[in-house]
Amino acid sequence: MDAVQDEAAGKRARGLDRAFEILDFLRQKRQALKPNEIAAQIGAPRSSVYELVNLLLSNGILEFTGGEGRVYLGRKLYFLGAAYENHFDFTRECEATLERLADETRETAQFCMLDGNRYTVVRMREGARPFRISTDVGQSVPIPWTASGRLLVAHLSDQDILNFIPPQDFRLPGGEWLEPQTFIAEVRQAEREGLFTFNSIVDSFTHCFAVPVRGEEGHAAATLCLVTPRDDGIANRDRYLDCLKKAAAGLEHAPARPKRS
């Protein structure tokens, strides 16, 4: 009997894992897809994907959109996210911090974290200058492409970093190959200095600044960043870093703090 129950529990767990994989895949693709397209692209049996998609549809987690049986993330996910944000003070603190940073520097301010073994912008405030830098909040990006990535993995050993980051993520947007050892050297530099800045790998016109927001364990749980026009960023380096460090200090240990009633 115990073996049968264990097998059933195992199947339920695998089903949950697959359901989350479907949701995360749609989030990354940012477009509606047919269940058979999802199955083919995540390498899953079509029968199990169809079954899970129907279950998610019936609970409002997915919705039909775009015709021809295509599905995408449902509005219930928005309500769940809103309930999460309403429960924690940190989101409000983060928004206020980004607004102050954008006002002080006139540059685009971002709050960034790891999403699995990828980097993502969680919150963003655009600066006041006419020059606009567009970034998709929530889109996953390879860690080596980002200034923040050097800080967010700095608590790992060299080998753990290589095990954590998919090998293909060291190929940069232009097709060049970033040597893993070069990346690790930059990680250790960022760890020593408590910051990392560079000319953006993704956008040739911008310069990126990142400082850690440390969690209770002492390593970077998140980062605060500025994304600036290249010449302005280099000219204002010291002032921008000072603004970022003061802002990060105000957010230290704030993540996931419940609201006070």
Side-chain angles (χ1 to χ4, degrees):
M1 179 63 72
D2 287 345
V4 172
Q5 291 176 339
D6 288 345
E7 183 179 357
K11 286 181 178 179
R12 285 194 296 272
R14 289 191 295 274
L16 279 172
D17 287 342
R18 183 71 76 190
F20 284 119
E21 184 180 8
I22 291 168
L23 296 174
D24 199 50
F25 176 73
L26 287 170
R27 180 181 68 87
Q28 292 183 33
K29 297 297 288 186
R30 292 178 175 257
Q31 65 183 82
L33 294 168
K34 299 175 183 177
N36 63 317
E37 293 171 330
I38 297 171
Q41 293 186 54
I42 69 173
R46 285 201 299 176
S47 58
S48 63
V49 169
Y50 272 98
E51 181 180 355
L52 286 168
V53 164
N54 285 331
L55 180 62
L56 294 169
L57 284 167
S58 68
N59 284 279
I61 304 299
L62 292 180
E63 294 178 358
F64 285 115
T65 182
E68 298 182 346
R70 292 184 179 88
V71 298
Y72 193 60
L73 304 176
R75 70 191 68 188
K76 191 167 187 179
L77 291 172
Y78 170 81
F79 295 122
L80 291 171
Y84 173 83
E85 290 194 351
N86 187 58
H87 185 62
F88 291 102
D89 277 338
F90 178 66
T91 300
R92 191 171 295 105
E93 293 179 29
C94 183
E95 295 281 6
T97 296
L98 292 176
E99 188 169 348
R100 285 194 300 272
L101 267 176
D103 287 345
E104 290 170 359
T105 64
R106 301 181 67 241
E107 309 291 3
T108 297
Q110 299 175 337
F111 179 79
C112 309
M113 302 181 76
L114 290 183
D115 176 19
N117 60 1
R118 290 289 187 96
Y119 153 97
T120 190
V121 177
V122 179
R123 288 284 187 275
M124 182 178 72
R125 279 289 180 272
E126 288 188 340
R129 63 172 66 250
F131 178 74
R132 286 289 183 263
I133 297 165
S134 61
T135 301
D136 289 331
V137 172
Q139 183 176 11
S140 295
V141 176
I143 290 171
W145 296 11
T146 68
S148 290
R150 274 80 176 162
L151 293 161
L152 291 169
V153 299
H155 63 289
L156 300 175
S157 70
D158 292 0
Q159 188 57 55
D160 284 342
I161 290 172
L162 296 177
N163 293 340
F164 182 63
I165 298 176
Q168 65 270 19
D169 284 2
F170 288 100
R171 187 168 299 283
L172 303 179
E176 316 95 300
W177 180 258
L178 175 62
E179 288 297 330
Q181 291 306 319
T182 299
F183 175 76
I184 288 175
E186 293 173 347
V187 169
R188 298 307 166 213
Q189 174 192 340
E191 185 178 25
R192 289 191 302 272
E193 297 179 357
L195 60 93
F196 195 79
T197 76
F198 71 167
N199 290 330
S200 173
I201 290 172
V202 178
D203 185 338
S204 60
F205 299 104
T206 62
H207 192 79
C208 302
F209 299 81
V211 301
V213 178
R214 301 188 188 280
E216 294 181 358
E217 296 179 355
H219 59 72
T223 60
L224 278 177
C225 313
L226 287 175
V227 185
T228 76
R230 184 169 292 187
D231 291 343
D232 291 340
I234 293 171
N236 292 282
R237 172 186 169 88
D238 291 343
R239 184 170 73 85
Y240 286 176
L241 284 172
D242 185 56
C243 289
L244 277 172
K245 289 176 181 178
K246 288 179 180 177
L251 288 178
E252 298 276 306
H253 311 302
R257 187 166 64 218
K259 283 177 63 177
R260 292 176 291 274
S261 56

